Amino acid sequence: MKKLFLLFLTGIIWTTFFTWPFILKLPIFYTDFGDYPVNGYLINYNFESFKNGRIFDQEKYFNGSQFYPEPFTLAYSDYRIMPSIIYSFYYLITKSLIFSVNLVTFTTFVLSFA
């Protein structure tokens, strides 16, 4: 247990070091560069799908609004289910899409350290 805690703490320290100054801007940083908006959209879409049960109906779930009016557009990208589960916990606490997406990004770096 102590080794796991030290590994987790080391992951936080290295993630903070390599992503500096991202840690300082967690509540406000959001960019339209790269895949950041797509990731934010997809994990928030999944959160809403978890919340209203749409995830259990394939017809409704895969009919996202990314490339409207094309049908089943969610099949064009990754589903990002695991980051969406992590995001759900953060979003329920913070009620902020930007802060929650940034926390998920930071958390995935820390978890990939192990």
Side-chain angles (χ1 to χ4, degrees):
M1 186 69 172
K2 186 176 179 181
K3 287 184 179 184
L4 183 64
F5 175 75
L6 289 174
L7 182 65
F8 186 68
L9 183 63
T10 305
I12 291 173
I13 291 168
W14 280 109
T15 301
T16 302
F17 176 74
F18 284 118
T19 62
W20 191 264
F22 179 66
I23 191 82
L24 300 175
K25 300 176 184 178
L26 280 178
I28 59 171
F29 177 77
Y30 203 77
T31 181
D32 61 350
F33 181 73
D35 289 339
Y36 214 70
V38 172
N39 292 337
Y41 169 80
L42 286 172
I43 60 178
N44 191 52
Y45 179 80
N46 284 335
F47 168 72
E48 293 296 328
S49 297
F50 296 150
K51 192 169 74 171
N52 62 24
R54 179 175 50 215
I55 195 138
F56 300 113
D57 185 2
Q58 289 181 3
E59 293 279 329
K60 291 180 183 176
Y61 177 67
F62 284 100
N63 270 327
S65 61
Q66 298 95 326
F67 301 109
Y68 182 81
E70 292 294 320
F72 307 112
T73 58
L74 190 64
Y76 298 159
S77 65
D78 296 332
Y79 308 134
R80 303 187 200 316
I81 297 294
M82 289 307 291
S84 300
I85 293 171
I86 297 169
Y87 169 85
S88 298
F89 292 118
Y90 291 150
Y91 187 77
L92 289 173
I93 294 168
T94 65
K95 301 291 186 213
S96 170
L97 179 128
I98 294 171
F99 191 39
S100 299
V101 168
N102 289 336
L103 282 174
V104 167
T105 302
F106 188 83
T107 303
T108 55
F109 277 113
V110 170
L111 293 177
S112 67
F113 183 80

